[in-house]
Amino acid sequence: EAGVAQSPRYKIIEKRQSVAFWCNPISGHATLYWYQQILGQGPKLLIQFQNNGVVDDSQLPKDRFSAERLKGVDSTLKIQPAKLEDSAVYLCASSGGAVETQYFGPGTRLLVL
Amino acid sequence: AQKVTQAQTEISVVEKEDVTLDCVYETRDTTYYLFWYKQPPSGELVFLIRRNSFDEQNEISGRYSWNFQKSTSSFNFTITASQVVDSAVYFCALSEEAGNTDKLIFGTGTRLQVFP
């Protein structure tokens, strides 16, 4: 069974530029999550989707971050404009339902200069 | 409020030593779930175990074992006869059933270095 796929794996941009990350969850998983992991910290949830609806985006900086999950499968996370403090690993995870185990992708390492 | 504390920032051991990673959690919910994930240098979070709050049985999987004690709100992880491949950052996480979201609340992680 294929795992969670993410791309790109690495991205370097300058501040004020925009960037987008893509995630393809495990087939059949209805719930998709985006987490931000700053160096030396544990991951923190940015947004959770159930199918193509948003369940929780309370920690998403909505002035610069946006996310969508078209057709309830793939998802994209966008940052526009990026700030230095957005440098982090962005992890996508999926699960088969409420409080089921979340399986993570390899992450996208973002460096904002 | 939900919180997970991993007080050990970094642990170094020599191969074949046993090592225990501590995890203490806080929650007001009676139904919750605890997890351990491994994050090797490649960066991917690898799922190790999931336990619910009603199952306090200890679990063993090969060289890995977990001790869940509700009385002390702890969910500790022991690696027996550690190997170099065990070197990674290990995260303990908490998820609650109540509310709309089942987001994971992670601790700050414990970096384990196993030297040959």
Side-chain angles (χ1 to χ4, degrees):
Chain A
E1 181 181 273
V4 177
Q6 289 188 247
S7 67
R9 293 296 310 277
Y10 305 92
K11 192 73 178 179
I12 301 175
I13 61 173
E14 295 191 350
K15 60 183 180 183
R16 291 188 289 274
Q17 286 187 324
S18 62
V19 64
F21 313 128
W22 172 82
C23 172
N24 181 244
I26 293 173
S27 178
H29 278 191
T31 311
L32 185 147
Y33 314 78
W34 284 101
Y35 288 84
Q36 180 193 56
Q37 185 179 18
I38 293 172
L39 188 65
Q41 299 181 19
K44 183 186 75 173
L45 182 75
L46 291 175
I47 188 167
Q48 176 181 346
F49 292 94
Q50 178 73 24
N51 295 308
N52 59 354
V54 175
V55 172
D56 182 1
D57 63 357
S58 58
Q59 299 294 304
L60 188 73
K62 298 180 185 64
D63 57 333
R64 297 183 302 105
F65 286 65
S66 65
E68 61 182 7
R69 190 181 184 196
L70 299 175
K71 301 179 182 177
V73 181
D74 294 4
S75 177
T76 56
L77 176 69
K78 297 179 182 177
I79 308 175
Q80 182 179 13
K83 292 186 175 182
L84 298 177
E85 59 262 36
D86 298 332
S87 294
V89 177
Y90 291 84
L91 294 160
C92 180
S94 70
S95 76
V99 291
E100 292 294 320
T101 298
Q102 295 179 30
Y103 295 94
F104 286 79
T108 297
R109 293 179 184 270
L110 174 67
L111 179 60
V112 182
L113 302 175
Chain B
Q2 313 140 305
K3 186 179 179 182
V4 175
T5 301
Q6 295 180 256
Q8 305 151 308
T9 303
E10 187 162 340
I11 301 175
S12 295
V13 298
V14 177
E15 231 179 356
K16 298 182 185 173
E17 283 186 29
D18 298 347
V19 59
T20 295
L21 309 182
D22 298 333
C23 173
V24 174
Y25 62 92
E26 295 176 31
T27 177
R28 284 178 287 191
D29 239 17
T30 55
T31 303
Y32 53 89
Y33 300 82
L34 296 165
F35 301 80
W36 277 94
Y37 284 86
K38 174 182 179 180
Q39 190 171 45
S42 59
E44 184 169 351
L45 278 168
V46 179
F47 166 73
L48 296 177
I49 190 170
R50 171 180 183 265
R51 301 306 300 274
N52 72 54
S53 52
F54 298 108
D55 183 2
E56 284 193 75
Q57 268 196 329
N58 292 333
E59 181 153 340
I60 298 174
S61 176
R63 297 184 297 107
Y64 295 172
S65 62
W66 291 269
N67 181 254
F68 177 26
Q69 293 197 344
K70 286 178 77 170
S71 60
T72 57
S73 297
S74 65
F75 187 42
N76 296 337
F77 172 31
T78 297
I79 302 175
T80 303
S82 60
Q83 299 176 3
V84 173
V85 293
D86 296 328
S87 297
V89 180
Y90 290 86
F91 288 96
C92 181
L94 166 72
S95 177
E96 296 178 345
E97 192 173 71
N100 292 330
T101 179
D102 60 348
K103 66 182 178 187
L104 291 171
I105 305 297
F106 284 87
T108 50
T110 297
R111 179 177 300 278
L112 174 65
Q113 290 195 306
V114 182
F115 293 99

